[in-house]
Amino acid sequence: MAQSIKTDACLNITTLDAKDIRWPTSLGAHGSDAMHTDPDYSCVYVTINTAEGTYGNGLTFTLGRGTDIVLLAVKAMKCHVENRTTASIYGNFASFWRDLTSESQLRWIGPEKGVTHLAVAAIINALWDLWGKIRGVPVWKLLTDMEPEELVSVIDFRYISDVLTPEEAINILKTSQHNRQTRIDELIAKGYPAYTTQVGWLGYSDDQIRTLCRKYLGAGFTAFKIKVGQNVDNDIKRCKLVREEIGWTNKLMVDANQIWDVNEAVEWMQHLKEFQLLWIEEPTSPDDVLGHKKIADALREHGIGVATGEMCCNRVMFKQFLQAGALDFCQIDSARIGGVNEILAVYLMAKKFNVKVCPHAGGVGLCEMVQHLQLWDYTSVSCTMADRLIEFVDQQHEQFVQPAVINDAARYVAPALPGYSTELKAEAIAMFEYPNGTEWKRMFADGTFQEKDY
């Protein structure tokens, strides 16, 4: 029997601290795509402190300018967390989550979407990190060890109960308990398969792409993703280049980052179908359910799936994508919707609709977090790794106390330490907190960045 909520230590939350942390990745075109041409990988970083000394860290991913806006939203919500006990939160986590996302005044500027929901994710992720530390286990194991009724109790089913009820969710989890320990042992022994996007940022030169393809082939990777969408002739050239390097037995995916209209996406992909692509990711607006369905229907005869979800704003949108058959690969993002609680609902709905979940992880801390969620999916929900992969981007991991680790078989190593793997090193904060970190002061002083423009 898993440890129940009632046996958790009851800690007193004293403060919620939040910081704006940014890395100048635009200088090397790292993270560049058709829509986001000059991203500076950033995050709002939350620390929840308790009187007893235990703390939790969480974050939400951003791209530079605008991080300060998310920071203000977090600060506007901190009153809901400070001066509470952990027992009062975890004892009725779904209710707490609903209170946070339905706060009557803040909700008007973002009802479970946009800036306010990014802020919610940072806070909720910190609370899960804290919960893992209280129970002394990594979050993937915390989720795995929960009895079905306990896990389902953290989910707010409002707006999705027409598709998934708590009783159905409990039944999914109970049915998936068979041979669970075998799957846990396998994860610990072998890890979970990854694919890399590091080879294909749109701002990279052909020589960089070739060099990186060879590097990651040598590291054991068999699945690769590149960015497309600005120029069709260049996309054809780059797909051909990557196929020359990785061959035709390895998987290749492409990502348009929402740049196309619906008909444009279908037409554009006709030019790329010869490269035997596993999926086209975010071909159009992330809000356009029926547009994605039209694209998916058109590309199915070519064996190309549609992947989306990294900018899907809440569980309701995911519900509609799944209902409509508008996606073949569901891409949850650990910081886009409202943190772990809401993401669990998406996994369970994807299971019901028999859609594969392949998490987005191109950003600060995303690899660290989504590995926990996907490991839980394998132990407790889908119970399979068939055609499922976790994205891996080889950036900023050195900034974390417990970084994501990829083994020599290109698999995520299951985290062993308590928490959500979200704690930044003190020196990383000192260097990259915006605008007064030592690296930002240096870059403003030497003209690398103009403070008035940033």
Side-chain angles (χ1 to χ4, degrees):
M1 186 80 172
Q3 185 181 19
S4 71
I5 296 175
K6 293 180 181 178
T7 61
D8 285 337
C10 182
L11 306 183
N12 297 283
I13 297 172
T14 53
T15 60
L16 185 155
D17 177 63
K19 299 181 184 297
D20 179 340
I21 315 290
R22 310 186 194 187
W23 286 268
T25 52
S26 62
L27 298 177
H30 308 307
S32 55
D33 59 53
M35 186 70 80
H36 313 96
T37 56
D38 61 344
D40 284 321
Y41 274 20
S42 309
C43 69
V44 171
Y45 180 66
V46 167
T47 302
I48 294 175
N49 297 293
T50 70
E52 293 76 11
T54 305
Y55 58 90
N57 300 112
L59 58 88
T60 197
F61 173 58
T62 52
L63 291 183
R65 286 186 297 274
T67 307
D68 49 338
I69 301 172
V70 182
L71 181 66
L72 287 172
V74 169
K75 290 180 177 179
M77 296 177 183
K78 64 188 294 186
C79 60
H80 295 282
V81 181
E82 293 180 340
N83 300 314
R84 294 191 60 156
T85 65
T86 54
S88 73
I89 293 174
Y90 302 135
N92 199 346
F93 212 170
S95 178
F96 171 83
W97 188 91
R98 181 182 288 194
D99 289 345
L100 198 61
T101 57
S102 300
E103 205 269 4
S104 65
Q105 295 184 6
L106 286 175
R107 188 181 187 278
W108 189 258
I109 63 171
E112 299 185 25
K113 62 171 67 76
V115 167
T116 57
H117 223 39
L118 290 170
V120 167
I123 294 169
I124 293 296
N125 290 336
L127 285 167
W128 279 91
D129 182 58
L130 178 59
W131 205 1
K133 290 172 179 174
I134 291 171
R135 292 204 176 175
V137 293
V139 164
W140 73 267
K141 192 65 165 55
L142 167 62
L143 293 168
T144 298
D145 288 346
M146 285 182 170
E147 290 297 321
E149 292 83 359
E150 181 184 10
L151 186 138
V152 169
S153 76
V154 311
I155 299 170
D156 184 359
F157 284 85
R158 183 167 63 180
Y159 307 142
I160 63 169
S161 61
D162 56 316
V163 163
L164 182 74
T165 66
E167 293 74 23
E168 286 178 301
I170 289 169
N171 185 59
I172 288 171
L173 293 168
K174 285 186 173 180
T175 303
S176 300
Q177 288 181 324
H178 182 65
N179 288 333
R180 183 173 61 183
Q181 188 59 50
T182 300
R183 293 190 294 277
I184 293 171
D185 294 341
E186 181 185 1
L187 284 174
I188 293 172
K190 297 181 180 180
Y192 198 102
Y195 76 88
T196 182
T197 306
Q198 198 66 40
V199 302
W201 301 123
L202 208 54
Y204 282 2
S205 68
D206 290 355
D207 287 342
Q208 279 180 289
I209 294 171
R210 287 191 185 278
T211 297
L212 289 167
C213 283
R214 293 168 189 174
K215 172 185 174 180
Y216 287 97
L217 279 169
F221 281 84
T222 59
F224 302 78
K225 187 174 78 181
I226 65 171
K227 302 292 184 173
V228 297
Q230 284 188 336
N231 179 284
V232 68
D233 292 330
N234 190 49
D235 288 348
I236 294 169
K237 174 186 173 185
R238 293 168 79 251
C239 286
K240 182 178 180 181
L241 184 157
V242 172
R243 274 295 180 204
E244 288 173 356
E245 292 296 333
I246 71 170
W248 291 86
T249 57
N250 290 319
K251 294 182 176 68
L252 178 61
M253 300 85 86
V254 294
D255 184 356
N257 289 95
Q258 318 134 46
I259 197 69
W260 299 320
D261 283 343
V262 172
N263 292 334
E264 184 182 17
V266 174
E267 180 182 354
W268 202 292
M269 290 305 297
Q270 300 300 320
H271 297 286
L272 303 183
K273 64 185 180 183
E274 65 180 284
F275 297 105
Q276 298 179 16
L277 304 172
L278 178 63
W279 74 55
I280 169 61
E281 184 173 329
E282 290 198 309
T284 192
S285 165
D287 300 328
D288 190 352
V289 177
L290 296 182
H292 276 83
K293 177 173 174 53
K294 182 175 181 179
I295 296 166
D297 289 345
L299 297 182
R300 202 157 281 129
E301 66 177 295
H302 305 302
I304 302 172
V306 166
T308 196
E310 75 176 74
M311 292 195 75
C312 189
C313 58
N314 54 51
R315 68 201 181 286
V316 180
M317 290 294 297
F318 275 110
K319 178 187 76 170
Q320 294 176 2
F321 273 103
L322 292 163
Q323 285 176 305
L327 79 175
D328 303 286
F329 298 91
C330 177
Q331 293 182 306
I332 58 93
D333 179 284
S334 56
R336 171 61 55 182
I337 62 176
V340 176
N341 304 56
E342 190 170 24
I343 293 169
L344 300 180
V346 176
Y347 271 100
L348 290 163
M349 287 190 291
K351 169 66 176 179
K352 180 175 179 178
F353 284 92
N354 196 30
V355 172
K356 297 174 282 289
V357 179
C358 295
H360 168 248
V364 178
L366 302 188
C367 294
E368 279 67 28
M369 290 185 285
V370 296
Q371 60 181 336
H372 290 268
L373 302 170
Q374 197 73 355
L375 267 57
W376 165 74
D377 175 69
Y378 180 59
T379 66
S380 305
V381 185
S382 73
C383 305
T384 180
M385 296 183 193
D387 295 322
R388 289 162 170 83
L389 300 158
I390 307 175
E391 184 173 20
F392 179 72
V393 174
D394 198 6
Q395 293 172 209
Q396 279 76 51
H397 301 299
E398 71 281 1
Q399 314 291 348
F400 287 87
V401 173
Q402 303 171 33
V405 176
I406 300 294
N407 66 20
D408 57 10
R411 287 172 168 250
Y412 276 83
V413 175
L417 297 177
Y420 203 19
S421 307
T422 40
E423 183 175 357
L424 285 171
K425 293 178 179 177
E427 54 266 35
I429 297 171
M431 292 172 67
F432 294 104
E433 184 175 3
Y434 183 84
N436 294 316
T438 56
E439 278 298 289
W440 282 104
K441 285 184 175 180
R442 179 190 63 78
M443 288 185 289
F444 289 141
D446 67 17
T448 302
F449 286 91
Q450 298 297 318
E451 189 167 7
K452 64 181 178 65
D453 296 327
Y454 199 83

